[in-house]
Amino acid sequence: MARSHTQDPLHTTPIPAGEGGEREALLDEYVLTHSDPEPEYLYRLWRATNLNLLHGRMASGRLQGRLLKMLVRMVRPRSIIEVGTFSGYSALCMAEGLEAGAHLYTFEVNDEIEPFTRPWIEGSPWSDRITFTIGDAATEAAKLGLKHDMAFIDGDKRTYVETYEALLPLMNPGAIILADNTLWDGHVTDPDYDRDPQTLGIRRFNDHIAADSRVSRVMLPLRDGLTLIRVNNQ
């Protein structure tokens, strides 16, 4: 699966060799030019993530970040739960779109990343809309005693199904669940990755969602794959 050039760490658009690659790069640039601009604070976070953290490309980029904010504005959730904070980029994008009084709860299992992420969240213009917790959302989220209108799953790919099943009872009817990385660099259809645990976890999740009558779903080939799931009204 070709990777979008809009996810380049420096937000530039390299031109690959060959006419097809050049057209793709120009289209990526066109998409960004005709989408909302990225706030300067988020751009600085994106740069810092890629300069200071391993696997910086795991952070949502400008295009996906603008989509997350737009979806929040459209759904108008009162409460969002996020699984997998990483550097905080996606959490801040969603918090940016929240209405007054709404809140986002984000969970990260890797405590080693907290010294980087917490200052970026607490120093942001949207800090009052975010609760950042180090812990496993699959076990900790229920302790909040809340029902949520939106969720963003971007944690351990090996346990996506278990995370989804833990969150589903916490979602209101009609709630939206977003699952990131559901194409996994195209590995979901590549037999060379038939023994890779993370690829197998994503495949298992995709099959699980496709067969789940409790929800409606559509998979988008944006970035690394983004699946939009709506909890059916009971």
Side-chain angles (χ1 to χ4, degrees):
M1 173 185 170
R3 190 176 301 128
S4 171
H5 303 297
T6 57
Q7 302 308 314
D8 178 79
L10 300 182
H11 283 38
T12 58
T13 306
I15 304 298
E19 182 181 350
E22 185 171 326
R23 284 200 304 268
E24 181 182 345
L26 290 172
L27 281 172
D28 284 337
E29 186 67 23
Y30 188 87
V31 167
L32 290 180
T33 301
H34 291 81
S35 298
D36 283 349
E38 177 184 45
E40 189 268 342
Y41 188 86
L42 290 176
Y43 174 69
R44 289 195 288 114
L45 172 56
W46 173 260
R47 286 290 304 271
T49 298
N50 282 275
L51 290 172
N52 295 285
L53 299 180
L54 292 174
H55 311 300
R57 66 179 291 267
M58 292 195 308
S60 297
R62 173 181 165 184
L63 182 61
Q64 183 170 328
R66 295 305 85 199
L67 175 62
L68 290 175
K69 177 189 174 183
M70 180 70 75
L71 289 172
V72 170
R73 286 282 176 89
M74 294 170 68
V75 176
R76 302 177 67 185
R78 301 304 299 166
S79 182
I80 303 176
I81 187 162
E82 179 184 47
V83 182
T85 313
F86 191 47
S87 68
Y89 189 97
S90 55
L92 292 172
C93 289
M94 290 186 286
E96 184 189 359
L98 286 174
E99 296 181 343
H103 205 76
L104 181 145
Y105 301 86
T106 181
F107 291 84
E108 173 58 54
V109 296
N110 180 10
D111 59 355
E112 294 183 354
I113 205 170
E114 184 176 9
F116 177 91
T117 302
R118 190 170 294 281
W120 278 100
I121 290 178
E122 294 182 351
S124 77
W126 314 285
S127 59
D128 61 332
R129 308 176 189 178
I130 303 175
T131 297
F132 172 40
T133 301
I134 296 295
D136 186 353
T139 57
E140 299 300 313
K143 298 177 183 179
L144 295 172
L146 299 171
K147 291 283 190 175
H148 306 280
D149 305 302
M150 180 177 281
F152 184 47
I153 300 176
D154 192 18
D156 187 346
K157 314 310 170 190
R158 296 168 295 184
T159 57
Y160 257 32
V161 170
E162 290 75 17
T163 298
Y164 168 78
E165 287 296 337
L167 293 187
L168 195 59
L170 308 180
M171 308 305 296
N172 285 316
I176 299 297
I177 301 173
L178 310 173
D180 202 13
N181 306 119
T182 47
L183 293 179
W184 203 231
D185 271 343
H187 298 167
V188 289
T189 58
D190 189 340
D192 288 343
Y193 289 85
D194 284 351
R195 296 187 179 183
D196 174 59
Q198 301 216 59
T199 300
L200 293 175
I202 290 292
R203 290 176 182 173
R204 185 164 66 98
F205 173 78
N206 290 341
D207 291 344
H208 185 77
I209 296 301
D212 191 350
S213 62
R214 298 170 295 180
V215 299
S216 305
R217 81 293 295 165
V218 61
M219 182 182 289
L220 302 177
L222 172 69
R223 194 169 183 258
D224 196 25
L226 181 69
T227 299
L228 278 62
I229 303 161
R230 183 182 183 275
V231 180
N232 295 332
N233 296 329
Q234 301 302 317

